Amino acid sequence: MTTTPRTAGIAALALGDDALVLSHRLGEWAGHAPVLEEEVALANIALDLLGQARILLSLAGDEDELAFLREERAFRNAQLVEQPNGDFAHTIARQLYFSVYQNLLYTQLATTDSELAPLAAKAAKEVAYHQDHAEQWTLRLGDGTAESHQRMQRGLDALWRFTGELFQPVPGLDIAWQTLREQWTATVTGVIEKATLTVPEGPQSGAWTAGAGREGLHTEPFGRMLAEMQHLHRSHPGASW
Amino acid sequence: MATAHKAPDAAKDRAAPGPAAADVGPDTTELESLFDAAVAADERIEPRDWMPDAYRATLVRQIAQHAHSEIIGMQPEANWITRAPSLRRKAILMAKVQDEAGHGLYLYSAAETLGVSRDELLDKLHSGRQKYSSIFNYPTLTWADVGAIGWLVDGAAITNQVPLCRCSYGPYARAMVRVCKEESFHQRQGYELLLALSRGTPEQHAMAQDAVDRWWWPSLMMFGPPDAESSHSEQSMTWKIKRHSNDELRQRFVDICVPQAESLGLTLPDPDLRWDEERGHHTFGPIDWSEFWSVLKGNGPCNEERITQRRRAHEEGAWVREAAAAYAAKHSDHDKDRRPAALGTPAEATA
C-alpha cells in the first residue's frame, strides 16, 4: 500500500507525540527516583523515547516547532502518556501498558511498507527493553510487599480507562488493530496475573468517548505540562538554541 | 597491580577494614614501610592490600564526597530538563544527568572496595555527616546556567579529577578514567551551549553573561581553600591521593578559562584579572572565602532544598526498595536462570 504524505504525517505526529510526551513525563523523575539504578533506567528510557520522537516529528515537520509551538488541541498523543507520574507504581503501570502497546505496534509496523517501517524496526529493539523493565517492576511490586502490591494494583486500576484509546485506528498506519488489541490484552494479562495482581474490570475508555488524545482532546494535567515544556522556547521567538 | 606491599598471610585479618584494623600488631611498622615504598614507587594500592587506617579513612571520605556530589549535582541540572528550549538540548541534558547517576554508582562501588556500604554512605549524606561539593548549593536560575555549569563547574571538576586518574588507590583511579571521559564531553557541550547563546539574540547573550557572572567565583572555590588553610592536603599529597595543591589547580583552571571566555565573547567578573608576563600566569582577584565557608556550613542558597529533595526521594522510595528485596527473597531460586538474559540482551540493543 502507498501512504500519501499527509496521512503519513498524521501517523508520524501521533506516534511522535506519544514518545515526546512520555519522555517528558519520565524526565520529571530525574533526581527523584527510589534508587540510583532507576535514575539511570528511567533516564535511559526517556532518552530512547525522545530519540524516537525527534525522528518521527522530523518526518512531520520541524521537530522544535512541532514540540514547542503547538497548542494543546493540536497534540495527537494518546491520553495515557500525558498522565502525571504519581508514585513509582503508577509510573510503572503506565510504562507497562504503553511499552507493551508500542512494542506490538512497532513490531507490526516494521513489516509494512510504511515510511515509518525503518524507524519502527530500530525502535522496537529499544521498546523491548522498556517492556522488560516495566514487566520486571510489575512483578517485583505486585509480588513484593503488601504495600507495593496495593500500590501497583491502584496504578493499574487508575490508568485502565486510558488503554482503550490505544487501539483506535490512526490514519496512515496499516495496522491490524484488532489483533494488536488481542495481543496486548494477552500480554498485559499474563504479566498482571504473574505479578499476583488482578486485571482491572472497568471500561477501557471514559464516558466522553470523543475525548481522545488522537483527536487533540486531552486531560487537564496536559496543559500544565505543555506550559512548562514550552515556556522558555516561546519566550524567545525565532531564537535558536 | 602492586606486589611489594602485599600483606603477609599472618597479617590478613588485620587488613580487614574498620576500627579493629587500628590494632597495633608487631609487624605494622614493616607493613607501613612496604606501603610507603609502594606508594613512592607509584604502584597502585588495591583493595586486598594492607593500607594505613588513616589512608583508608581519607579515601572513604573523599570518594564518598565525590559520589555524593554526583548525586546532588543531578538536581540543579535536572531542574531544567522539563524546560529545555529545544529537543536536541533536552536530549543532551537528560543524557548528562543520567551519566551523573552512573558516575555516582561507579564511585560508590569504588568506596565499597574499602569496606563501607553504599547504604551506609547514603545515610551519612542524608544525615549531613558527609558533605558534597558546595557548588551544588547554588541555584540554576536560567537556561544559561546549564551551560555555565557544563563549562565552568565540569571544567573545574575535570581539572581536579584528571590528576586523580593517577591516584595511588587503584579502584578510585580507574573510576576517574571513566568519569573524566564523560565529563570532558559534558564540558564541551556546556561550552557549545553558551556559545550558541552568546552568538544568539541580545537577550540570549545577556542570559549567558549573567550565568557566567554568577558561576565564576563559586567555580574557583571548587578547588578548596588556599593551600595555607587546607587541612588534608599535605598528607594526601604524600599518599599520592592528591597530586597538585588547591592553588596550583585553581591557577591552571583560570589559565584555561580566560582564553575560552574570549572565544565565547563573554567576560569574567573579575576586574583584577590580568596576564602576568613574569609568572606566565593570569593573576586574579581575591576570593570571598567567607561565602565559601558559609555555604560549606549549610548556609548557601540551596543547601536545605538539595538535601531535603534527596532525603525525600530516598524516603518515598523506601517501599519500592523493600518490595524489590521481598520479591528477590521469594524468587531467588527459580528466577535465577532467566533474569540475566532477560535484563541483559535488550539493554545492549539500546546502549
Side-chain angles (χ1 to χ4, degrees):
Chain A
M1 85 160 230
T2 46
T3 48
T4 68
R6 202 185 139 274
T7 51
I10 292 172
L13 215 51
L15 302 189
D17 286 350
D18 280 350
L20 176 71
V21 171
L22 186 56
S23 165
H24 184 96
R25 285 298 189 204
L26 292 174
E28 293 173 353
W29 270 105
H32 299 271
V35 61
L36 289 175
E37 284 80 356
E38 281 307 294
E39 294 284 0
V40 177
L42 295 173
N44 196 342
I45 295 168
L47 266 171
D48 286 345
L49 290 167
L50 186 53
Q52 294 166 18
R54 294 183 65 192
I55 295 168
L56 286 160
L57 294 183
S58 298
L59 291 172
D62 177 272
E63 62 175 38
D64 285 337
E65 270 179 39
L66 288 168
F68 295 102
L69 298 175
R70 267 183 302 161
E71 301 280 342
E72 186 180 337
R73 290 282 283 107
F75 274 81
R76 292 287 176 257
N77 56 284
Q79 291 179 351
L80 175 67
V81 296
E82 75 203 29
Q83 296 313 305
N85 289 333
D87 67 7
F88 187 71
H90 197 86
T91 290
I92 292 299
R94 193 181 59 198
Q95 286 302 111
L96 178 71
Y97 289 157
F98 188 73
S99 61
V100 171
Y101 163 75
Q102 215 187 9
N103 197 2
L104 292 167
L105 179 70
Y106 281 167
T107 304
Q108 251 199 63
L109 189 57
T111 66
T112 68
D113 62 358
S114 159
E115 69 171 291
L116 306 185
L119 168 274
K122 177 183 176 286
K125 291 180 191 151
E126 297 171 345
V127 172
Y129 160 72
H130 305 171
Q131 180 179 334
D132 186 64
H133 175 263
E135 285 186 10
Q136 298 289 335
W137 272 112
T138 303
L139 296 178
R140 286 188 197 110
L141 298 181
D143 196 13
T145 63
E147 182 184 6
S148 69
H149 178 90
Q150 193 188 25
R151 285 179 184 255
M152 192 65 222
Q153 187 66 56
R154 213 184 292 153
L156 292 170
D157 290 346
L159 293 167
W160 185 247
R161 69 193 170 94
F162 298 105
T163 55
E165 186 191 355
L166 299 175
F167 312 105
Q168 297 295 319
V170 175
L173 287 187
D174 184 18
I175 293 292
W177 295 98
Q178 189 51 36
T179 310
L180 181 62
R181 181 176 206 132
E182 285 157 13
Q183 290 172 331
W184 182 90
T185 306
T187 305
V188 164
T189 300
V191 177
I192 292 175
E193 286 175 353
K194 192 174 174 205
T196 72
L197 296 157
T198 311
V199 178
E201 281 173 358
Q204 282 177 272
S205 53
W208 189 34
T209 47
R214 299 271 183 246
E215 304 292 320
L217 291 162
H218 294 277
T219 55
E220 288 182 348
F222 186 55
R224 283 190 295 280
M225 194 206 97
L226 282 188
E228 182 173 350
M229 185 174 102
Q230 297 182 337
H231 167 261
L232 178 60
H233 187 97
R234 284 182 182 271
S235 301
H236 296 264
S240 44
W241 300 94
Chain B
M1 177 80 182
T3 49
H5 59 292
K6 284 280 179 273
D9 283 350
K12 268 206 176 129
D13 288 347
R14 251 182 298 106
D23 179 20
V24 268
D27 51 359
T28 300
T29 327
E30 194 199 328
L31 289 170
E32 191 128 24
S33 57
L34 286 171
F35 171 86
D36 290 343
V39 169
D42 271 334
E43 286 178 28
R44 286 276 163 85
I45 308 301
E46 297 297 338
R48 296 173 65 91
D49 296 338
W50 185 90
M51 63 187 82
D53 293 337
Y55 176 84
R56 187 185 298 277
T58 297
L59 277 168
V60 167
R61 182 174 45 78
Q62 183 173 336
I63 301 174
Q65 175 167 329
H66 197 157
H68 299 333
S69 301
E70 296 283 356
I71 300 311
I72 297 286
M74 294 167 71
Q75 290 183 31
E77 295 179 284
N79 184 36
W80 281 91
I81 285 179
T82 55
R83 292 177 288 171
S86 75
L87 297 186
R88 174 171 167 266
R89 294 289 178 198
K90 187 172 183 161
I92 290 171
L93 183 56
M94 269 185 187
K96 182 180 177 187
V97 174
Q98 182 191 19
D99 281 349
E100 281 158 3
H103 295 172
L105 286 169
Y106 302 158
L107 287 160
Y108 285 123
S109 297
E112 286 185 327
T113 64
L114 292 160
V116 291
S117 74
R118 194 213 295 185
D119 286 348
E120 190 180 318
L121 298 178
L122 281 172
D123 273 351
K124 286 187 176 160
L125 169 65
H126 297 153
S127 60
R129 281 175 294 152
Q130 279 180 343
K131 294 189 185 311
Y132 54 87
S133 177
S134 64
I135 192 81
F136 300 119
N137 292 313
Y138 289 86
T140 47
L141 301 177
T142 73
W143 170 250
D145 290 36
V146 171
I149 289 182
W151 177 44
L152 294 174
V153 175
D154 292 349
I158 293 163
T159 309
N160 261 328
Q161 289 169 10
V162 165
L164 288 174
C165 298
R166 295 184 295 126
C167 156
S168 59
Y169 188 58
Y172 192 27
R174 289 188 290 274
M176 291 325 299
V177 171
R178 299 180 64 176
V179 168
C180 284
K181 280 183 193 161
E182 293 177 347
E183 291 290 4
S184 53
F185 194 59
H186 299 160
Q187 201 238 357
R188 285 199 292 274
Q189 288 171 327
Y191 180 88
E192 195 256 336
L193 190 164
L194 284 181
L195 191 64
L197 294 180
S198 179
R199 292 178 177 174
T201 65
E203 291 79 11
Q204 285 177 306
H205 182 90
M207 192 192 282
Q209 184 62 60
D210 168 63
V212 169
D213 289 349
R214 282 181 290 109
W215 287 93
W216 173 249
W217 291 109
S219 301
L220 293 193
M221 295 177 199
M222 285 176 70
F223 296 93
D227 292 348
E229 292 165 45
S230 180
S231 49
H232 305 293
S233 275
E234 204 181 323
Q235 182 63 75
S236 287
M237 303 253 294
T238 315
W239 278 332
K240 295 191 180 167
I241 294 174
K242 210 170 162 164
R243 296 276 178 161
H244 310 278
S245 80
N246 294 352
D247 287 333
E248 261 173 67
L249 291 171
R250 189 168 12 246
Q251 179 69 62
R252 186 181 295 181
F253 178 67
V254 172
D255 289 338
I256 292 169
C257 286
V258 171
Q260 290 181 347
E262 278 168 25
S263 322
L264 278 172
L266 298 171
T267 59
L268 296 171
D270 180 359
D272 297 330
L273 188 64
R274 62 183 168 77
W275 174 251
D276 183 337
E277 190 68 56
E278 230 166 82
R279 288 199 308 127
H281 288 293
H282 291 87
T283 297
F284 51 96
I287 291 172
D288 179 2
W289 290 109
S290 65
E291 177 180 317
F292 174 77
W293 294 114
S294 178
V295 175
L296 207 65
K297 285 189 185 106
N299 300 318
C302 300
N303 297 58
E304 188 58 38
E305 289 89 333
R306 299 290 187 242
I307 205 69
T308 299
Q309 177 178 327
R310 180 87 268 291
R311 270 192 215 128
R312 195 169 56 219
H314 191 74
E315 282 161 15
E316 288 178 358
W319 68 270
V320 177
R321 297 190 299 275
E322 284 158 18
Y327 180 85
K330 282 187 222 178
H331 297 270
S332 53
D333 296 330
H334 58 88
D335 264 10
K336 207 162 32 189
D337 296 334
R338 62 169 288 275
R339 204 177 294 131
L343 286 174
T345 319
E348 281 163 20
T350 61

